[in-house]
Each structure stands twice: as structure tokens, then as C-alpha cells.
Amino acid sequence: VQLQASGGGLVQPGGSLRLSCAASGSIFRLDVMAWYRQTAANQRELVADCTYGGWTTYADSVKGRFTISRDNAKNTVYLQMNTLKSEDTAVYYCNAKQTDYRGSITYYWGQGTLVTVSS
């Protein structure tokens, strides 16, 4: 399974961006799709995730500002980021968890997309 993330860029504080991540390859069913982020000083942290059935969780720091959604038919997950702050600056990574027909679990990572929030 390959994950291709897109949508990063430079945005001013208070602005919005929408990230997309499309999965391709040998997909059985992607149980969970998620977004993580990482700065040079910090470990990679979970931003938000979404189950196949649509249940979502968010990091406290983004609740009320970010919205994760997915299109199961397209194997794509989105992250709508509003009211961006400078502390949201990071490389954002797409992640997917797949359980195959044998019950084997595999996690996949995308290549990362840089989000810079700056005036």
C-alpha cells in the first residue's frame, strides 16, 4: 500500500489548508486512517484519526479547528485545518492501518507534507 499526501504549503496565521492523502496498491480494508505531525524538536504526534466507520479522535491542541474525514470508496483521507497557528507548523504524515483477510495488521506511512504557518 502506498500513501500519497498533498496539500501542504505556507499559510498565514488564522488561515486554512486542506491536506489529502490517497492510498493505492493492495488494499483490503484500511481500518484506520490518520494524520500525524512532527517538528524538528518534537516526536511525531497524532493529530487526528478516523476509523472505517467514521469514528474520529483529535489531539487536544487541534480540537475545534481541524476536521478529519475520509472517502472509503477513494481510499482517501482529508484533514481540513482552520484557524491555523504558528505552532501548527510541522511536517504532516498520513498513516493507515490495514488488517488483511488473515488478520495480519500492517501500518503504512506517507512521505510527509510540510505545513508552514507564518506571516
Side-chain angles (χ1 to χ4, degrees):
V1 175
Q2 295 80 43
L3 302 176
Q4 181 67 46
S6 61
L10 173 64
V11 63
Q12 292 186 342
S16 298
L17 277 177
R18 188 191 194 209
L19 305 183
S20 300
C21 176
S24 61
S26 300
I27 296 172
F28 180 69
R29 194 181 83 166
L30 300 175
D31 301 319
V32 182
M33 299 188 79
W35 289 96
Y36 287 74
R37 66 186 181 187
Q38 185 170 19
T39 64
N42 297 323
Q43 292 183 333
R44 194 171 294 188
E45 64 174 358
L46 175 67
V47 176
D49 63 22
C50 184
T51 68
Y52 188 86
W55 289 99
T56 59
T57 59
Y58 295 92
D60 288 342
S61 59
V62 307
K63 283 180 181 177
R65 299 188 299 121
F66 292 9
T67 301
I68 189 170
S69 60
R70 59 187 288 177
D71 184 331
N72 292 330
K74 296 181 179 179
N75 291 308
T76 299
V77 64
Y78 307 95
L79 186 68
Q80 178 66 42
M81 304 185 293
N82 298 328
T83 319
L84 282 160
K85 305 175 182 180
S86 58
E87 51 262 44
D88 296 318
T89 295
V91 178
Y92 284 71
Y93 295 91
C94 176
N95 172 273
K97 172 191 174 185
Q98 174 160 264
T99 304
D100 67 19
Y101 66 96
R102 298 169 298 179
S104 296
I105 297 173
T106 306
Y107 291 89
Y108 301 94
W109 290 95
Q111 83 283 11
T113 184
L114 177 62
V115 172
T116 303
V117 184
S118 175
S119 56

